[in-house]
Amino acid sequence: MIPVRLTLDPAFRVAPVRRRTFGSFVEHLGRCVYTGIHDPEHPTADQDGFRKDVLELTRELGVSTVRYPGGNFVSGYRWEDGVGPVEQRPRRLDLAWHSTEPNTVGVDEFMRWAERAQVEPMMAVNLGTRGVQEAVDLLEYCNVPGGTALSDLRRANGAPDPYRVRMWCLGNEMDGPWQTGHKTAYEYGRLAAETGRAMRMVDPGIELVACGSSSSVMETFGEWERIVLTEAYDQVDYISAHAYYWEEEGDLGSFLASAVDMDHFVESVTATADAVRAAQRRSKRIHVSFDEWNVWYQKRAESRPPRGDDWPVAPVLLEDRYNVADAVVVGNLLISLLRHSDRVHAASLAQLVNVIAPIMTEPGGRVWKQTIFHPFAAAARWARGDVLQVAVESPTYETARYGDAALVDAVATRDEETGDVAVFVVNRSTGAPAALDVDLRALPGLRLVEASTLANPDHTWSATADDDTSVAPRANATARVADGRLSAELPPVSWTVLRLGPVA
């Protein structure tokens, strides 16, 4: 048994829980849109062809924001193709994913879907093949009430009220050579600054996200952020971060410690942003929008787009099937994001449906939850109030990729108004349970409300359309609160949420 001690104290507050931490991502990639959120032939389809069963699970997942329409897709996207009568919309080649885009779903359809899903839309503009004017045009279409050509076009297309989109991404992964319209840091920084300046002339209240690094292993990591922010600091509010993790060559230990890299990513980017702030003598701080993150097995066949003369509509792409270990890592990455709530003000799990997603569908058929659905839904539901700085005393283990890592990692939140506390814990050990001891003496008068653990003796188990409950969290019967201490046994390769509330 691994001895682990956590200490909670409400005086050690990190920041408020950011609801935007629980964002997701819908891109015109594979089956995310078509047969994912949109499937007009499905028995549950609404008047716009959106699957009500997917809408229901999106709400259950607790998603706060959804980034749209990409992703790599946005760097070649002409937003005008997706408005107006559907039968008149052009079909286009999507260079990012070697597919054909029918433009059946566009800006107006997505905004109606977002309203039904009860999520905040987060729009991206194309700074790959397009620029300042096209970004301003899209903003005018979305946010100007009326009286101009593009705002009146929106009204004519059935949306009399402006969409009032607040968050805007200035392109996507422009540091990546794979990106259509890839640019150097200086080229992109100047374009982002000029685009942001023009967009704020239309709507001064918007929040702008500049492209940061696509990965912490990019050769330009750090220097990219420095140059981009040097050019665009006054025009943007956030710098983006993107990171994907997967188990390589059976190295489960390193995979389970993926949050160590996410911690490093956030801390490095914020240090760079603060250095630019100091050099430019600015008062405002740039925060992080971690608007792509997940487990993604990039070397699998389903992650490779088609080639040659075949340009299919909505091909099967990036449809990873997640197991218990994947869910534990996703839960740990959420712990990292919450732990950095002072600087991570928004995040997007990529993606929402079918494509490296918590929700899977069959065209015209069933919908089910993947393993990663559960830690996200629980954190989105129970993380409330303030994030607390948790003192973790845990043995460490050596990993090939990240050096020494703690066997147990944790974060906690506390709602001052209700007194409710939630503790989120992962056990990264592959062979031994952990004996958890949480010191609650600084938070007297708490009782255990609920304890649940996601684990399985076979961490490779995955959910299926026929059975998506066998790998769902189960009640942890070992959890106890007594004499100002919370104790619980945590199985190997597990994610646990412990909910506490005031004694009645």
Side-chain angles (χ1 to χ4, degrees):
M1 193 81 74
I2 302 166
V4 178
R5 182 175 180 179
L6 310 181
T7 302
L8 306 187
D9 190 321
F12 293 94
R13 172 183 172 275
V14 176
V17 174
R18 314 281 178 184
R19 297 319 307 166
R20 284 176 171 172
T21 299
F22 305 106
S24 191
F25 182 23
V26 166
E27 180 176 359
H28 288 251
L29 191 179
R31 297 195 310 112
C32 186
V33 174
Y34 305 116
T35 74
I37 67 169
H38 187 262
D39 191 352
E41 303 305 316
H42 195 270
T44 70
D46 65 15
Q47 67 272 24
D48 288 308
F50 292 118
R51 290 181 59 147
K52 293 180 181 178
D53 54 355
V54 172
L55 281 165
E56 182 179 340
L57 285 187
T58 299
R59 292 189 288 266
E60 183 181 338
L61 186 61
V63 172
S64 57
T65 66
V66 171
R67 182 170 173 248
Y68 176 86
N72 295 352
F73 172 82
V74 79
S75 292
Y77 182 51
R78 306 179 219 195
W79 69 267
E80 307 95 323
D81 290 347
V83 301
V86 173
E87 63 276 7
Q88 297 178 17
R89 297 180 188 178
R91 294 166 67 89
R92 302 281 191 189
L93 297 182
D94 168 26
L95 303 185
W97 301 107
H98 201 85
S99 306
T100 296
E101 173 54 50
N103 286 302
T104 308
V105 171
V107 174
D108 296 308
E109 287 83 11
F110 173 73
M111 293 299 177
R112 291 196 291 271
W113 178 87
E115 182 178 16
R116 291 165 202 170
Q118 300 170 10
V119 302
E120 176 190 0
M122 177 181 180
M123 293 292 289
V125 299
N126 177 359
L127 294 188
T129 60
R130 310 189 93 183
V132 178
Q133 187 61 61
E134 292 83 3
V136 169
D137 287 348
L138 178 57
L139 177 60
E140 179 185 326
Y141 185 87
C142 289
N143 281 18
V144 172
T148 67
L150 292 172
S151 62
D152 285 346
L153 177 62
R154 183 201 68 243
R155 294 169 64 91
N157 288 335
D161 297 323
Y163 295 127
R164 297 185 176 89
V165 179
R166 297 266 61 84
M167 289 192 76
W168 293 82
C169 300
L170 298 172
N172 175 76
E173 293 187 355
M174 300 310 298
D175 64 325
W178 58 85
Q179 201 71 206
T180 307
H182 163 63
K183 294 171 174 60
T184 67
Y186 179 77
E187 290 169 338
Y188 170 71
R190 290 291 300 142
L191 179 57
E194 293 304 320
T195 304
R197 184 177 293 109
M199 292 177 73
R200 288 194 191 281
M201 291 177 183
V202 176
D203 187 343
I206 58 176
E207 302 169 51
L208 297 176
V209 184
C211 290
S213 292
S214 304
S215 166
S216 62
V217 300
M218 297 290 290
E219 291 183 2
T220 54
F221 177 59
E223 185 67 357
W224 173 275
E225 282 81 359
R226 185 190 70 79
I227 295 172
V228 167
L229 290 177
T230 296
E231 295 300 321
Y233 198 94
D234 290 339
Q235 302 304 327
V236 303
D237 304 287
Y238 306 91
I239 187 83
S240 72
H242 292 180
Y244 295 100
Y245 302 96
W246 61 94
E247 182 180 347
E248 290 192 86
E249 299 177 352
D251 185 3
L252 179 60
S254 291
F255 177 51
L256 290 169
S258 295
V260 172
D261 179 74
M262 181 176 270
D263 290 340
H264 160 73
F265 201 155
V266 172
E267 290 156 13
S268 298
V269 168
T270 53
T272 302
D274 288 347
V276 176
R277 173 178 178 261
Q280 295 193 355
R281 296 176 174 85
R282 298 296 190 262
S283 59
K284 79 169 185 179
R285 291 190 185 275
I286 299 293
H287 297 292
V288 174
S289 174
F290 219 119
D291 47 44
E292 285 190 35
W293 69 273
N294 203 347
V295 171
W296 174 16
Y297 290 85
Q298 298 182 3
K299 296 180 181 179
R300 289 180 178 172
E302 58 267 30
S303 288
R304 302 187 188 108
R307 290 290 183 264
D309 296 332
D310 185 18
W311 294 79
V313 174
V316 173
L317 282 173
L318 284 62
E319 296 198 9
D320 283 358
R321 295 299 197 266
Y322 291 118
N323 62 32
V324 171
D326 297 326
V328 171
V329 169
V330 164
N332 201 172
L333 296 174
L334 283 161
I335 287 172
S336 176
L337 292 171
L338 285 166
R339 178 163 50 230
H340 292 97
S341 291
D342 57 332
R343 299 307 297 271
V344 177
H345 285 202
S348 302
L349 178 72
Q351 293 188 14
L352 180 64
V353 187
N354 289 329
V355 175
I356 52 173
I359 300 171
M360 297 298 296
T361 69
E362 293 176 343
R366 295 173 291 183
V367 64
W368 69 97
K369 305 172 187 175
Q370 294 231 63
T371 59
I372 65 171
F373 184 102
H374 302 292
F376 189 101
R381 184 174 184 183
W382 301 121
R384 291 286 186 271
D386 294 323
V387 180
L388 301 184
Q389 182 178 334
V390 178
V392 180
E393 299 174 44
S394 167
T396 62
Y397 71 111
E398 185 177 352
T399 72
R401 295 179 65 182
Y402 307 120
D404 286 345
L407 281 166
V408 171
D409 194 16
V411 76
T413 64
R414 177 175 180 264
D415 188 330
E416 186 174 6
E417 291 186 7
T418 65
D420 293 339
V421 173
V423 184
F424 305 95
V425 194
V426 293
N427 181 6
R428 296 167 172 162
S429 169
T430 59
L436 182 69
D437 175 24
V438 185
D439 187 340
L440 300 173
R441 287 175 294 177
L443 292 163
L446 291 177
R447 63 183 177 88
L448 182 67
V449 176
E450 183 183 42
S452 61
T453 295
L454 190 153
N456 193 291
D458 181 359
H459 65 264
T460 65
W461 274 31
S462 299
T464 67
D466 295 315
D467 180 12
D468 64 359
T469 60
S470 63
V471 290
R474 295 285 187 270
N476 188 322
T478 68
R480 298 284 187 277
V481 173
D483 302 322
R485 309 194 84 84
L486 166 64
S487 62
E489 183 177 317
L490 310 179
V493 190
S494 66
W495 179 90
T496 298
V497 57
L498 302 154
R499 293 176 49 225
L500 306 163
V503 174

mmCIF file of all heavy atoms in Angstrom, residues 108 142 188 195 211 226 256 330 335 371 436 439:
data_model
loop_
_atom_site.group_PDB
_atom_site.id
_atom_site.type_symbol
_atom_site.label_atom_id
_atom_site.label_comp_id
_atom_site.label_asym_id
_atom_site.label_seq_id
_atom_site.Cartn_x
_atom_site.Cartn_y
_atom_site.Cartn_z
ATOM 1 N N ASP A 108 -24.592 29.648 -39.003
ATOM 2 C CA ASP A 108 -25.927 29.782 -38.411
ATOM 3 C C ASP A 108 -26.402 28.485 -37.779
ATOM 4 O O ASP A 108 -26.989 28.486 -36.692
ATOM 5 C CB ASP A 108 -26.928 30.251 -39.470
ATOM 6 C CG ASP A 108 -26.597 31.638 -39.992
ATOM 7 O OD1 ASP A 108 -26.427 32.557 -39.182
ATOM 8 O OD2 ASP A 108 -26.487 31.797 -41.226
ATOM 9 N N CYS A 142 -21.617 38.022 -37.322
ATOM 10 C CA CYS A 142 -22.038 37.405 -36.058
ATOM 11 C C CYS A 142 -22.515 38.413 -35.016
ATOM 12 O O CYS A 142 -23.478 38.132 -34.288
ATOM 13 C CB CYS A 142 -20.882 36.591 -35.464
ATOM 14 S SG CYS A 142 -20.504 35.066 -36.359
ATOM 15 N N TYR A 188 3.205 35.659 -38.373
ATOM 16 C CA TYR A 188 1.919 35.440 -37.711
ATOM 17 C C TYR A 188 1.640 36.518 -36.675
ATOM 18 O O TYR A 188 0.508 37.019 -36.565
ATOM 19 C CB TYR A 188 1.860 34.063 -37.059
ATOM 20 C CG TYR A 188 0.637 33.952 -36.174
ATOM 21 C CD1 TYR A 188 -0.636 33.867 -36.735
ATOM 22 C CD2 TYR A 188 0.750 34.040 -34.785
ATOM 23 C CE1 TYR A 188 -1.768 33.841 -35.936
ATOM 24 C CE2 TYR A 188 -0.380 34.011 -33.979
ATOM 25 C CZ TYR A 188 -1.636 33.915 -34.549
ATOM 26 O OH TYR A 188 -2.758 33.912 -33.765
ATOM 27 N N THR A 195 -5.081 41.895 -37.340
ATOM 28 C CA THR A 195 -6.438 41.346 -37.335
ATOM 29 C C THR A 195 -7.158 41.698 -36.043
ATOM 30 O O THR A 195 -8.323 42.124 -36.053
ATOM 31 C CB THR A 195 -6.399 39.822 -37.533
ATOM 32 O OG1 THR A 195 -5.690 39.507 -38.731
ATOM 33 C CG2 THR A 195 -7.801 39.249 -37.615
ATOM 34 N N CYS A 211 -2.422 32.342 -31.422
ATOM 35 C CA CYS A 211 -1.893 30.977 -31.521
ATOM 36 C C CYS A 211 -0.575 30.867 -30.763
ATOM 37 O O CYS A 211 0.385 31.587 -31.063
ATOM 38 C CB CYS A 211 -1.637 30.595 -32.977
ATOM 39 S SG CYS A 211 -3.107 30.370 -33.966
ATOM 40 N N ARG A 226 7.262 34.113 -27.464
ATOM 41 C CA ARG A 226 7.919 35.400 -27.210
ATOM 42 C C ARG A 226 7.733 36.354 -28.389
ATOM 43 O O ARG A 226 7.369 37.528 -28.202
ATOM 44 C CB ARG A 226 9.408 35.190 -26.934
ATOM 45 C CG ARG A 226 10.134 36.486 -26.547
ATOM 46 C CD ARG A 226 11.627 36.298 -26.510
ATOM 47 N NE ARG A 226 12.181 36.108 -27.848
ATOM 48 C CZ ARG A 226 12.410 37.094 -28.726
ATOM 49 N NH1 ARG A 226 12.127 38.353 -28.412
ATOM 50 N NH2 ARG A 226 12.921 36.823 -29.909
ATOM 51 N N LEU A 256 0.950 7.676 -17.781
ATOM 52 C CA LEU A 256 0.162 8.072 -16.620
ATOM 53 C C LEU A 256 0.665 9.373 -16.000
ATOM 54 O O LEU A 256 -0.073 10.044 -15.277
ATOM 55 C CB LEU A 256 0.162 6.958 -15.580
ATOM 56 C CG LEU A 256 -0.626 5.698 -15.968
ATOM 57 C CD1 LEU A 256 -0.332 4.559 -15.001
ATOM 58 C CD2 LEU A 256 -2.122 5.982 -16.013
ATOM 59 N N VAL A 330 -6.828 11.477 -18.688
ATOM 60 C CA VAL A 330 -7.694 12.636 -18.918
ATOM 61 C C VAL A 330 -8.082 13.274 -17.583
ATOM 62 O O VAL A 330 -8.074 14.502 -17.429
ATOM 63 C CB VAL A 330 -8.936 12.237 -19.733
ATOM 64 C CG1 VAL A 330 -10.025 13.306 -19.651
ATOM 65 C CG2 VAL A 330 -8.552 12.000 -21.190
ATOM 66 N N ILE A 335 -6.937 17.728 -13.574
ATOM 67 C CA ILE A 335 -6.325 18.178 -12.322
ATOM 68 C C ILE A 335 -5.287 19.259 -12.599
ATOM 69 O O ILE A 335 -5.218 20.286 -11.916
ATOM 70 C CB ILE A 335 -5.701 16.976 -11.582
ATOM 71 C CG1 ILE A 335 -6.802 16.099 -10.981
ATOM 72 C CG2 ILE A 335 -4.727 17.432 -10.488
ATOM 73 C CD1 ILE A 335 -6.313 14.784 -10.394
ATOM 74 N N THR A 371 -14.838 6.056 -22.024
ATOM 75 C CA THR A 371 -14.344 6.128 -20.642
ATOM 76 C C THR A 371 -13.983 7.552 -20.246
ATOM 77 O O THR A 371 -14.184 7.957 -19.099
ATOM 78 C CB THR A 371 -13.121 5.236 -20.452
ATOM 79 O OG1 THR A 371 -12.083 5.645 -21.365
ATOM 80 C CG2 THR A 371 -13.449 3.765 -20.696
ATOM 81 N N LEU A 436 -4.874 6.667 1.054
ATOM 82 C CA LEU A 436 -5.000 8.125 1.042
ATOM 83 C C LEU A 436 -5.420 8.631 2.407
ATOM 84 O O LEU A 436 -6.392 8.136 3.002
ATOM 85 C CB LEU A 436 -6.036 8.543 -0.003
ATOM 86 C CG LEU A 436 -6.256 10.052 -0.181
ATOM 87 C CD1 LEU A 436 -5.037 10.705 -0.801
ATOM 88 C CD2 LEU A 436 -7.502 10.312 -1.038
ATOM 89 N N ASP A 439 -5.850 15.510 5.362
ATOM 90 C CA ASP A 439 -5.955 16.311 6.575
ATOM 91 C C ASP A 439 -6.984 17.418 6.342
ATOM 92 O O ASP A 439 -6.771 18.323 5.529
ATOM 93 C CB ASP A 439 -4.579 16.907 6.902
ATOM 94 C CG ASP A 439 -4.565 17.617 8.255
ATOM 95 O OD1 ASP A 439 -5.650 17.978 8.758
ATOM 96 O OD2 ASP A 439 -3.465 17.839 8.799
#
